[in-house]
Amino acid sequence: MGTKTVDETGAETGPEARTDEEKVDVTKSDAVGADEVIEADDAEDGDEAEVLEGLGEDEKEGPSGVGQGAAAVVSAGLGLVSLTGGWIGTVAAARETLVGQLETASTATVATQVKEIYGDAWQTSALWAGFFALAALIVGVFVLARPAFGAPGKPQAPWIKSVGWAGVSLGVIGLLLAVLKYTDVLLGLPSTS
């Protein structure tokens, strides 16, 4: 038969030592009948199941809208790039300037040189700005139209709508400015005559 010892902290050790759970079970079984202990354990398990089911309900409600929020921010960012000019448009315009310098003969008229060197670069910059504006407009419209095709009864967060509308607005303004730049209505080439 094993012996029970007590260490310096007062905890019992050895083969006859009981854990706290065993002590609690012994106390419960002494105070109430065995059937009542089983019912109490089942009730506790039911409460835990309800809590776990409650946690799962948040996931069942539908998506959190993180993707829509990210798309709205991307739309607004693309709209800003269309207005301020991105590095892709700058590089494309510089390339077009270089191509115009290489292809234009030094004996060409001033009007031809201005159009080939500066006009084509200006139009290339306008095309890239229009591309970014169109992308902003498409992504913004998608963000605003997404709730109509999503989970019914789950409203879209107000900030997502606001940023989505900002992206659409910047896209429309950027597209309008790009068309005006490309057609030389806005800041057209100077006359050379």
Side-chain angles (χ1 to χ4, degrees):
M1 183 166 169
T3 60
K4 182 168 55 170
T5 60
V6 178
D7 66 0
E8 291 177 7
T9 61
E12 298 176 358
T13 59
E16 292 182 5
R18 292 186 174 176
T19 63
D20 289 339
E21 290 175 7
E22 290 174 338
K23 289 179 184 176
V24 171
D25 286 343
V26 170
T27 307
K28 282 184 183 177
S29 64
D30 292 343
V32 293
D35 293 337
E36 294 173 5
V37 170
I38 292 172
E39 289 175 9
D41 287 344
D42 289 342
E44 288 175 4
D45 290 342
D47 292 341
E48 290 174 7
E50 288 177 15
V51 169
L52 293 176
E53 286 177 11
L55 292 175
E57 288 176 7
D58 292 338
E59 295 174 3
K60 292 177 185 176
E61 288 181 9
S64 63
V66 172
Q68 291 178 24
V73 170
V74 166
S75 172
L78 288 170
L80 282 174
V81 169
S82 75
L83 294 177
T84 60
W87 65 269
I88 293 176
T90 303
V91 169
R95 182 183 184 283
E96 195 62 40
T97 299
L98 181 61
V99 169
Q101 289 174 348
L102 293 173
E103 292 180 354
T104 305
S106 59
T107 58
T109 65
V110 173
T112 304
Q113 287 179 358
V114 168
K115 183 192 177 318
E116 291 297 323
I117 295 173
Y118 301 108
D120 291 347
W122 181 251
Q123 288 181 338
T124 300
S125 176
L127 281 174
W128 278 101
F131 171 74
F132 282 112
L134 186 61
L137 187 60
I138 290 170
V139 172
V141 167
F142 171 76
V143 167
L144 294 174
R146 175 68 176 103
F149 303 105
K154 175 110 173 138
Q156 191 176 42
W159 73 269
I160 294 174
K161 286 182 182 179
S162 298
V163 177
W165 276 112
V168 168
S169 301
L170 291 171
V172 167
I173 292 169
L175 197 57
L176 178 65
L177 289 175
V179 167
L180 292 175
K181 279 173 46 177
Y182 189 81
T183 58
D184 289 335
V185 173
L186 179 67
L187 300 172
L189 291 174
S191 108
T192 56
S193 53

